[in-house]
Amino acid sequence: MEATADYEAIKTTLADAANEHGEPHWLVERRLAAVDAMQGLAVPKADRFSIRDWPLTPTDQPLKFSRSDRTLATDVTAEEGHIQIVQVGQTTVTVNLPDELDEQGVILTDMFTAFREHPQLTEKHFMAKVVKTDEDRLTSYHTAFLNAGVFLYVPKGVTIKAPIEINTIQDSTRTQPLVSHVLIVAEADSHFAVTQHLTTEGDVTNIANCVVEILARGDSEVHYSAFDELGANTTAYLNRRASISRGAKVDWAIGMMNNGNTFGDFDSELIGEGAKSDAKVITVTTKSQDVCINTRVTNHGKKTDGNIVQRGVIMEKSNLIFNGIGHIIHGASGAHAEQENRVLMMSDDAHGDANPILLIDENDVLAGHAASVGQIDQNQMYYLMSRGIDKAQAQRLVIRGFLSTVIGAIPSKTVRTRLTNTIERKLEDGIEL
């Protein structure tokens, strides 16, 4: 439980830190308003899961900015020609943006540089349209205590063929929350892919409050993939959301392999006619982890198309809740919503649940869902073991196939390889034979 906070003192300390950091006036005012909002807001609710007692808004840890050791990023591959930004804590280590993209107006920079140099883009989009500051206590805390992040802007008609890589490394060599924001603006008819890798260096107990906002204008196409690999001593809140305009498409491929307790809230808002989104999420939970993932698609526009696929493997004494939420708003005629939530139990001591939720306020639609929680398929095991494969290897092969839907959707070969290796390591440590 968190201590009772003196919010006026927090506002004074926070304003001093933000002004010393050279932040624009509008951002400081937005931070202070967020502190006021926090006082009357609760943490978000999830079906069959509670984060009420999680220490996700540590107001006793003041906003401050300090440099991290750049050598914490030595494991990040920085290959020539990669479009890439690397951050350790609040320190930006690398920004690689080819000259031809810079000349076309593409912006890739750290969040605070964007606030200062591109206020016409950031002021109107940051926590204003896609994710709102006053939605709940976690989004208010995020605005008030923001201390890291990335801004990506792709102008109208620009296509970027290579994936854009964002490496966010939490510096847990000291006590400091990671409050990171990725703001992506895809102008009309732009096409590109983004891959984010979240990791932790150090063993200090911390929180991570990370928000991704994607604004996809008409006929744009964004493929966002994430490999989350935060540390065992990190309690994480991950909020990723897209607002998708007429004819635009945003696909998600998320491999959530954190080692600590995690609450994930992923959302696609299909605003314009013909908007589309495919959301694929996989996770492997181990030890005594508590993990809840809400993946939501809301069809606002006519002839919109939203799909959700969530697959999880639970081991040891872990707990995993999948909530798949499809909501078709009245007037969204011709909309299509499908979802599939499946949990594979590898331990009698683990607990898992897959909850499909369909909310339909329109008659002329097509919607469906599938959900399951169960043991590994014994027919598949028998087939593999009858061909001389031992039990452990057979289990890993079946699970790898079960999770392959997301792994194959990640564009970066390096990230795919690291994700596969992480899954293999978790399975090797957690499978009971």
Side-chain angles (χ1 to χ4, degrees):
M1 297 291 291
E2 293 165 11
T4 301
D6 180 345
Y7 286 98
E8 289 306 315
I10 290 170
K11 288 169 67 176
T12 300
T13 305
L14 192 148
D16 290 344
N19 286 322
E20 187 177 345
H21 192 230
E23 296 177 7
H25 178 72
W26 65 266
L27 179 58
V28 179
E29 291 299 313
R30 203 170 293 187
R31 286 184 184 274
L32 300 180
V35 175
D36 289 334
M38 281 180 64
Q39 301 173 53
L41 294 171
V43 296
K45 294 181 179 178
D47 200 54
R48 306 184 189 185
F49 198 85
S50 175
I51 59 169
R52 189 177 56 183
D53 295 330
W54 289 17
L56 283 170
T57 56
T59 52
D60 58 333
Q61 297 178 27
L63 177 69
K64 59 182 179 181
F65 294 91
S66 55
R67 291 188 176 279
S68 292
D69 184 350
R70 289 170 173 260
T71 62
L72 296 176
T74 51
D75 287 343
V76 177
T77 304
E79 298 180 16
E80 187 176 351
H82 275 204
I83 309 169
Q84 184 180 40
I85 182 166
V86 181
Q87 292 186 327
V88 179
Q90 300 158 357
T91 302
T92 299
V93 177
T94 303
V95 181
N96 289 328
L97 181 68
D99 290 343
E100 59 269 27
L101 294 179
D102 182 55
E103 291 166 359
Q104 292 180 73
V106 175
I107 300 168
L108 177 64
T109 185
D110 73 89
M111 200 70 232
F112 292 100
T113 297
F115 286 142
R116 288 189 290 269
E117 297 183 358
H118 306 285
Q120 74 282 9
L121 293 172
T122 53
E123 182 176 0
K124 65 181 179 182
H125 294 315
F126 170 71
M127 298 294 288
K129 292 185 176 180
V130 184
V131 180
K132 306 282 180 45
T133 292
D134 58 356
E135 286 183 11
D136 53 53
R137 185 174 174 85
L138 297 185
T139 61
S140 293
Y141 174 85
H142 181 87
T143 305
F145 290 88
L146 178 74
N147 60 22
V150 171
F151 177 60
L152 171 64
Y153 176 79
V154 181
K156 181 179 180 180
V158 172
T159 295
I160 303 174
K161 294 182 178 178
I164 300 159
E165 299 178 14
I166 299 172
N167 290 277
T168 304
I169 302 167
Q170 179 187 30
D171 182 359
S172 280
T173 61
R174 57 191 174 191
T175 300
Q176 186 170 57
L178 173 66
V179 187
S180 173
H181 193 95
V182 175
L183 175 59
I184 298 171
V185 179
E187 291 290 7
D189 199 33
S190 60
H191 301 74
F192 58 94
V194 178
T195 297
Q196 184 178 23
H197 190 186
L198 271 171
T199 56
T200 299
E201 291 290 339
D203 298 322
V204 174
T205 298
N206 271 314
I207 70 148
N209 178 317
C210 302
V211 172
V212 174
E213 292 185 285
I214 300 177
L215 182 63
R217 304 282 197 193
D219 297 316
S220 62
E221 189 168 326
V222 180
H223 298 271
Y224 174 92
S225 56
F227 175 19
D228 304 327
E229 202 178 12
L230 294 168
N233 295 326
T234 295
T235 301
Y237 162 65
L238 306 176
N239 183 339
R240 294 170 171 136
R241 188 177 305 173
S243 177
I244 307 168
S245 300
R246 182 186 179 95
K249 181 178 183 180
V250 174
D251 288 342
W252 308 88
I254 298 172
M256 182 181 283
M257 299 296 152
N258 298 330
N259 294 305
N261 294 340
T262 302
F263 176 61
D265 189 13
F266 310 137
D267 186 15
S268 299
E269 299 288 326
L270 304 173
I271 304 298
E273 181 173 342
K276 297 180 180 178
S277 177
D278 281 325
K280 299 182 177 72
V281 182
I282 58 170
T283 187
V284 177
T285 59
T286 59
K287 298 185 171 57
S288 57
Q289 269 187 284
D290 283 321
V291 175
C292 177
I293 302 174
N294 290 339
T295 302
R296 185 170 48 253
V297 174
T298 304
N299 300 66
H300 296 269
K302 296 180 179 179
K303 300 179 182 177
T304 47
D305 190 354
N307 299 292
I308 298 169
V309 174
Q310 301 192 100
R311 295 190 177 184
V313 179
I314 55 176
M315 297 185 289
E316 299 177 277
K317 297 180 179 179
S318 60
N319 177 34
L320 169 64
I321 303 295
F322 273 148
N323 292 318
I325 306 157
H327 190 183
I328 299 178
I329 303 295
H330 177 64
S333 58
H336 180 209
E338 294 284 346
Q339 62 171 284
E340 177 187 317
N341 307 280
R342 301 195 186 278
V343 175
L344 194 57
M345 296 186 65
M346 300 301 297
S347 166
D348 293 337
D349 296 323
H351 175 263
D353 217 338
N355 307 312
I357 301 169
L358 280 175
L359 306 170
I360 301 175
D361 300 321
E362 174 61 44
N363 293 323
D364 179 21
V365 300
L366 181 62
H369 66 79
S372 65
V373 178
Q375 307 287 335
I376 199 164
D377 189 314
Q378 292 305 311
N379 289 330
Q380 292 177 332
M381 289 291 295
Y382 176 78
Y383 176 83
L384 292 170
M385 293 176 68
S386 68
R387 277 148 180 80
I389 299 173
D390 65 46
K391 184 178 179 182
Q393 180 65 11
Q395 285 184 328
R396 286 198 289 271
L397 287 172
V398 173
I399 292 171
R400 188 187 298 175
F402 179 72
L403 301 177
S404 62
T405 181
V406 168
I407 299 172
I410 294 175
S412 167
K413 183 179 178 181
T414 302
V415 175
R416 284 199 305 272
T417 301
R418 293 193 65 166
L419 176 57
T420 301
N421 291 340
T422 297
I423 291 171
E424 290 289 332
R425 189 179 66 249
K426 280 177 171 276
L427 297 180
E428 189 168 339
D429 292 343
I431 284 181
E432 299 171 357
L433 297 175

